[in-house]
Amino acid sequence: MSLKMSVADLEAFMAAEFAQVARDFTVVSAAPMQLTLRLNVTDRHLRPGGTVAGPAIFALADVGVYLAVLSMIGPQALAVTTNCSLDFMRKPAADADLIAQVRLLKLGRVLAVGDVLIYSHGSPAPVARANMTYSIPPARQS
């Protein structure tokens, strides 16, 4: 399997299709069935007490699997999340970006399943783990 979208392609896709959040994320690397995504943490991602909020962590996992799927199938904006399980394992650092290491476990015609480990940048212990399933839209017939 080879990539259908490069890091630059994924960044351009996000800027065009999801401009409202594109600046929150940086695609660090993409390889077949793998992707690394950074959440550029700002004050708006923090909850009271100064830690990264759960919804921001969910967004990182969700966007990470979404982009990993697109990197393999090409730009199909209508791929959607159908299931998510998210475990919060430890408090993320408030003064560090979050890094998602995404691995696609299955990439079928209709469904994709991904596993995500999320780290505070510079820390070896994961702060969260997510398992996500995506529905892939049917290929258009000409």
Side-chain angles (χ1 to χ4, degrees):
M1 288 188 184
S2 62
L3 292 177
K4 292 198 175 171
M5 294 182 78
S6 68
V7 168
D9 295 333
L10 293 167
E11 292 273 349
F13 177 85
M14 284 292 289
E17 298 295 329
F18 296 103
Q20 67 273 28
V21 296
R23 281 184 244 119
D24 288 348
F25 303 100
T26 301
V27 181
V28 176
S29 65
M33 304 292 280
Q34 298 180 40
L35 184 116
T36 302
L37 185 67
R38 176 187 296 262
L39 173 64
N40 305 310
V41 175
T42 65
D43 286 344
R44 70 187 199 94
H45 300 112
L46 303 180
R47 65 181 301 267
T51 60
V52 178
I57 294 171
F58 170 82
L60 177 60
D62 193 37
V63 171
V65 174
Y66 179 67
L67 292 177
V69 169
L70 295 186
S71 75
M72 297 302 297
I73 67 171
Q76 295 190 36
L78 296 179
V80 295
T81 309
T82 59
N83 189 52
C84 174
S85 172
L86 182 58
D87 298 308
F88 298 98
M89 300 187 297
R90 57 188 48 82
K91 187 172 154 180
D95 59 349
D97 290 343
L98 293 183
I99 307 295
Q101 298 287 338
V102 179
R103 202 171 42 124
L104 294 180
L105 305 174
K106 176 190 188 243
L107 182 60
R109 286 184 314 102
V110 177
L111 292 177
V113 177
D115 188 59
V116 185
L117 286 175
I118 297 173
Y119 300 85
S120 288
H121 181 68
S123 177
V127 299
R129 183 195 68 82
N131 180 272
M132 307 199 71
T133 304
Y134 262 78
S135 175
I136 299 169
R140 293 184 192 182
Q141 301 291 323
S142 302

